[in-house]
Amino acid sequence: MVPSQEEPAAVRGTSEEQPPGPAPVGEAPLSDPGPSEGSEAAAEKVEVEPREPREPPEGGWGWLVMLAAMWCNGSVFGIQNACGVLFVSMLKTFGSKDGDKMVFKTAWVSSLSMGMIFFCCPIASVFTDIFGCRKTAVMGAAVGFVGLMSSSFVSSIEPLYLTYGIIFACGCSFAYQPSLVILGHYFKKRLGLVNGIVTAGSSVFTILLPLLLRVLIGSVGLSDTLRVLCIFMFVLFLAGFTYRPLASSAKDKESESSRFSLFSRRKFSPPKKFFNFGIFKVTAYAVWAVGIPLALFGYFVPYVHLLKHVNERFQDEKHKEVVLMCIGITSGVGRLLFGRIADYVPGVKKVYLQVLSFFFIGLMSMMIPLCSVFGALIAVCLVMGLFDGCFISIMAPIAFELVGAQDVSQAIGFLLGFMSIPMTVGPPIAGLLRDKLDSYDVAFYLAGIPPLIGGTVLCFIPWIHSKKQREISKTTGGEKMEKMLDNQNSLLSSSSGIFKKESDSII
């Protein structure tokens, strides 16, 4: 840890002569390093101990970083959320053979892509810690560009599992994860609002992309449409260069140079340091990391299958993609609204906003098959989008509250990695049910159950966190009281000794 401004005085105090007698009340006596604690031990402490975090500037260059992160969320999740349009186009383009199982097979493309984005986030968090947000984001955008471009040259559905589902998604993951971390470097007081604005980027793209994709697919076809989407990834590549690390002080620069010098011991640290599994010792975070994935088994089902369901249920409607636009519109409103509300909700109680969002998401998913009028389905999508924005916008603020700024990168990375499993499995299961039952009704009913269960689990987090904080405060308070009593006893004993000597001399 880079020493703070108070530490040099404490260090100098060890070399100055101290008067004999007990240490002052409330201060522990300073001990000189022994023979085994030389310069190597001091260097080791610099590497092992965390540095004090810098105070976020709350603006400045951070506003440009916010816009770049907004484009990242928009280009990554706007494309993913508009997958319903691509899904229908893939069925028409590659569905001439084995048509009975094509819904199940095609659903794997979008679900695998979304799942891989989150699955790679723990690895992306390690790259972010080692190489920084800027290098990781730029590299990820380049890989995503290659994957999306190669997807435009395939002639069957199976190669898309690799090009679109894995390569493109992995690149998006490495570009997306740093966008969550970099915001906490530039903002603290406004972090909830900034996260709301950034995550609203995907809502804007979710509103506009279905219209753009429908026009492009109708005029130039699926392959050329994917090539047009590569422009979004190229802009994302340029946006990654704005993730400039905050200027370091002279001591920070000296520490950084020692960390990455040729003979630095840090360079040969064991791999276990890369993945900070110690954050799971925070019970509240462990429960959060279980409850969120549990709630997401049905979360991505409407994004993949809703447009197909509308094509089957409301065949006479012309602008069917408006249902995805409605989700995108209110999702953007929800991200801005609840992101700002989260700034006024104290501490871990922000989790209750996610509980509320999962309750409504689950309820709206169950109501989709009950809508026999297209207007009712639009109303359901509007409500679902509003609380979808609530869930997404406060993920990063909750992570900061649970583990602190130092461990937030890997905390978010692990959580997104766990989220990959339900988000990958859910849509293909829904597609399989559709192939077997010739209807999406059961699939949407089942998709609404996991959010209700996951939201119930999240209710325990504030209680667990407050209980742990009380235990820590009691332990800390008891230790301070014992130190004070010990110091007072030593002072009394020394004072009585001095008094006895003075009385003996008087006698």
Side-chain angles (χ1 to χ4, degrees):
M1 179 175 65
V2 175
S4 62
Q5 304 227 343
E6 293 82 29
E7 285 176 342
V11 174
R12 287 194 301 268
T14 60
S15 61
E16 297 175 358
E17 293 185 2
Q18 300 289 339
V25 178
E27 294 184 6
L30 296 170
S31 60
D32 293 330
S36 60
E37 297 181 356
S39 59
E40 293 184 1
E44 186 70 20
K45 289 182 180 179
V46 171
E47 294 177 3
V48 174
E49 295 180 2
R51 290 176 295 163
E52 292 294 329
R54 296 178 59 87
E55 191 68 21
E58 300 292 344
W61 184 264
W63 296 119
L64 185 59
V65 172
M66 182 194 73
L67 293 177
M70 184 177 179
W71 180 272
C72 175
N73 275 257
S75 58
V76 170
F77 290 107
I79 295 174
Q80 296 294 331
N81 293 342
C83 64
V85 181
L86 296 176
F87 177 76
V88 174
S89 178
M90 291 176 187
L91 284 175
K92 293 180 180 179
T93 305
F94 306 115
S96 58
K97 298 180 180 179
D98 199 14
D100 295 336
K101 298 180 181 179
M102 276 306 296
V103 174
F104 172 70
K105 293 173 65 175
T106 307
W108 271 109
V109 177
S110 299
S111 63
L112 183 62
S113 178
M114 180 64 84
M116 286 301 296
I117 289 177
F118 295 114
F119 180 77
C120 293
C121 277
I123 304 174
S125 67
V126 174
F127 275 73
T128 302
D129 289 340
I130 296 175
F131 300 107
C133 294
R134 178 159 54 184
K135 292 180 180 179
T136 304
V138 169
M139 177 186 67
V143 174
F145 178 88
V146 172
L148 194 57
M149 180 61 72
S150 58
S151 298
S152 65
F153 294 99
V154 302
S155 57
S156 61
I157 198 70
E158 286 79 8
L160 287 175
Y161 297 153
L162 174 63
T163 58
Y164 190 92
I166 296 180
I167 298 177
F168 169 64
C170 288
C172 289
S173 178
F174 276 74
Y176 167 67
Q177 207 275 342
S179 72
L180 296 177
V181 178
I182 193 65
L183 295 176
H185 295 176
Y186 282 89
F187 298 94
K188 183 177 181 181
K189 296 178 181 178
R190 301 171 178 170
L191 184 59
L193 175 62
V194 170
N195 269 283
I197 295 174
V198 167
T199 54
S202 63
S203 300
V204 174
F205 279 64
T206 302
I207 296 168
L208 300 178
L209 272 179
L211 294 175
L212 176 63
L213 292 177
R214 185 171 66 88
V215 173
L216 289 174
I217 290 174
S219 57
V220 299
L222 178 63
S223 297
D224 288 333
T225 299
L226 294 176
R227 291 168 191 149
V228 172
L229 291 179
C230 289
I231 299 175
F232 291 83
M233 300 308 297
F234 179 73
V235 176
L236 179 58
F237 172 80
L238 299 178
F241 286 99
T242 65
Y243 295 170
R244 185 178 67 188
L246 291 175
S248 301
S249 63
K251 293 180 179 179
D252 290 341
K253 292 178 179 178
E254 182 179 354
S255 176
E256 287 294 321
S257 62
S258 64
R259 285 176 59 196
F260 296 100
S261 61
L262 182 61
F263 300 103
S264 173
R265 188 172 299 185
R266 170 84 176 188
K267 189 175 182 179
F268 304 100
S269 59
K272 66 181 180 179
K273 291 184 179 180
F274 291 163
F275 293 97
N276 183 18
F277 294 106
I279 59 177
F280 291 101
K281 294 180 181 179
V282 181
T283 309
Y285 171 77
V287 174
W288 192 53
V290 171
I292 294 291
L294 188 62
L296 294 181
F297 274 95
Y299 171 80
F300 198 49
V301 170
Y303 286 101
V304 176
H305 296 284
L306 183 58
L307 196 58
K308 176 69 174 176
H309 169 73
V310 172
N311 286 333
E312 295 176 353
R313 182 70 62 91
F314 306 99
Q315 298 179 359
D316 296 334
E317 294 293 333
K318 295 182 179 179
H319 301 287
K320 301 181 179 66
E321 66 277 355
V322 73
V323 292
L324 295 178
M325 294 175 59
C326 290
I327 294 177
I329 291 171
T330 52
S331 180
V333 174
R335 294 171 197 220
L336 294 173
L337 175 64
F338 287 101
R340 187 57 177 167
I341 292 175
D343 289 334
Y344 297 99
V345 178
V348 184
K349 290 185 179 180
K350 294 180 178 68
V351 171
Y352 288 130
L353 294 176
Q354 284 192 328
V355 173
L356 184 67
S357 66
F358 282 135
F359 175 79
F360 277 96
I361 288 174
L363 189 61
M364 293 302 106
S365 295
M366 292 180 173
M367 292 184 65
I368 289 176
L370 301 178
C371 296
S372 57
V373 181
F374 191 66
L377 181 61
I378 290 178
V380 167
C381 292
L382 290 172
V383 176
M384 178 182 289
L386 182 68
F387 288 96
D388 167 77
C390 173
F391 153 64
I392 293 175
S393 65
I394 59 176
M395 279 184 60
I398 291 176
F400 274 94
E401 294 289 347
L402 292 177
V403 301
Q406 182 180 351
D407 297 320
V408 72
S409 175
Q410 295 207 25
I412 294 175
F414 280 124
L415 177 65
L416 297 179
F418 294 149
M419 288 167 55
S420 67
I421 299 174
M423 297 187 75
T424 303
V425 173
I429 292 178
L432 184 63
L433 291 173
R434 160 62 183 79
D435 289 336
K436 297 295 183 182
L437 303 176
D438 292 328
S439 173
Y440 276 114
D441 291 357
V442 176
F444 284 116
Y445 288 140
L446 294 178
I449 297 176
L452 301 179
I453 298 175
T456 304
V457 173
L458 297 183
C459 290
F460 294 96
I461 292 178
W463 176 77
I464 294 172
H465 187 266
S466 61
K467 181 181 178 182
K468 189 67 175 178
Q469 292 298 110
R470 287 195 299 268
E471 292 177 356
I472 293 174
S473 62
K474 287 181 181 180
T475 303
T476 306
E479 291 177 353
K480 288 183 178 179
M481 184 62 68
E482 289 179 2
K483 288 182 179 180
M484 289 179 64
L485 291 175
D486 291 340
N487 289 326
Q488 288 177 357
N489 291 333
S490 61
L491 280 173
L492 289 174
S493 60
S494 61
S495 299
S496 62
I498 295 173
F499 177 76
K500 184 178 179 181
K501 288 181 180 180
E502 291 179 352
S503 62
D504 290 341
S505 63
I506 292 174
I507 294 172

